[in-house]
């Protein structure tokens, strides 16, 4: 009978986070996670089919907090500007927390296949917060995509805000 370990999935994600922060993407392996959590390697694979899935779970956990913050501002906003400002702040902070991961060539290669899917999900989540201020889904998606691209390129909000305001 398999051993039940309380909150193992969250422990695995936390350990992955710790190892990435301390040693980087390449040093973190499924084997090192299993060893640190005192479980068999196969047990990790029961929760996460790959190293990238484990890291994605960690990023997703953090992104949900960011998205919740944006949703709270969007729910109260009567104009798009406060929502856009909040989105930029959350994206800037998120990208800063994971800058080393996003610059790591091995990590970029590992996520190359799933990047398009995750990017589309992220853009759509951001667009949902803007829809009520837009005349079309396309406008909301365009604004979200622009905000994503410019923020991750390190542009300040003041640089592109005038252009985004023209969309609304």
């Amino acid at each position: 009978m398999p051993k039940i370990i309380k909150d193992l999935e969250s422990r695995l994600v936390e350990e992955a986070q710790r190892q990435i922060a301390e040693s980087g993407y390449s040093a973190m392996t499924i084997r090192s996670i299993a060893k640190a959590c005192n479980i068999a390697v196969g047990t990790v694979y029961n929760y996460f089919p790959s190293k990238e899935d484990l890291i994605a779970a960690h990023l997703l956990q953090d992104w949900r907090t960011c998205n919740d913050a944006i949703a709270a501002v969007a729910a109260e906003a009567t104009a798009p500007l406060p929502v856009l400002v909040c989105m930029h702040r959350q994206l800037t902070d998120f990208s800063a927390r994971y800058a080393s991961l996003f610059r790591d060539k091995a990590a970029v290669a590992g996520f190359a296949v799933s990047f398009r899917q995750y990017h589309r999900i992220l853009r759509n989540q951001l667009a949902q917060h803007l829809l009520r201020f837009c005349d079309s889904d396309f406008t909301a998606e365009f604004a979200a995509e622009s905000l994503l691209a410019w923020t991750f390129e390190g542009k300040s909000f003041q640089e592109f805000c005038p252009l985004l305001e023209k969309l609304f």
Side-chain angles (χ1 to χ4, degrees):
M1 182 152 175
K3 179 170 72 169
I4 304 297
I5 303 171
K6 189 174 182 176
D7 298 322
L8 181 57
E9 186 171 354
S10 62
R11 281 184 43 212
L12 295 171
V13 171
E14 288 170 12
E15 181 59 28
Q17 179 182 8
R18 186 190 68 71
Q19 288 188 23
I20 289 170
E22 288 179 7
S23 307
Y25 173 85
S26 295
M28 196 265 326
T29 64
I30 296 292
R31 186 173 302 284
S32 68
I33 298 295
K35 183 176 180 179
C37 292
N38 200 28
I39 59 172
V41 171
T43 303
V44 178
Y45 284 111
N46 287 335
Y47 290 88
F48 302 101
S50 70
K51 175 179 178 173
E52 287 72 28
D53 288 321
L54 178 56
I55 294 168
H58 160 59
L59 294 173
L60 177 62
Q61 210 171 45
D62 191 17
W63 174 249
R64 283 184 177 142
T65 303
C66 296
N67 197 41
D68 289 347
I70 296 167
V73 170
E76 299 294 321
T78 58
L81 187 60
V83 182
L84 294 168
V85 169
C86 182
M87 285 179 176
H88 183 263
R89 185 178 61 250
Q90 292 298 326
L91 289 168
T92 299
D93 292 350
F94 184 84
S95 64
R97 282 192 296 278
Y98 302 105
S100 63
L101 183 63
F102 295 150
R103 284 192 303 263
D104 187 298
K105 289 180 183 180
V108 171
F111 280 98
V113 173
S114 57
F115 173 78
R116 184 177 293 174
Q117 173 191 355
Y118 291 131
H119 183 86
R120 184 175 31 252
I121 291 168
L122 180 59
R123 182 192 63 227
N124 291 341
Q125 287 177 345
L126 294 173
Q128 288 300 310
H129 299 301
L130 297 171
L131 271 175
R132 68 186 172 105
F133 305 111
C134 297
D135 57 2
S136 70
D137 289 356
F138 177 79
T139 304
E141 290 175 9
F142 183 81
E145 181 65 39
S146 300
L147 187 67
L148 267 172
W150 293 327
T151 301
F152 283 124
E153 286 181 19
K155 304 280 187 211
S156 73
F157 188 73
Q158 292 72 28
E159 288 180 87
F160 58 81
C161 179
L163 180 60
L164 283 179
E165 285 181 316
K166 291 179 183 185
L167 294 173
F168 301 97

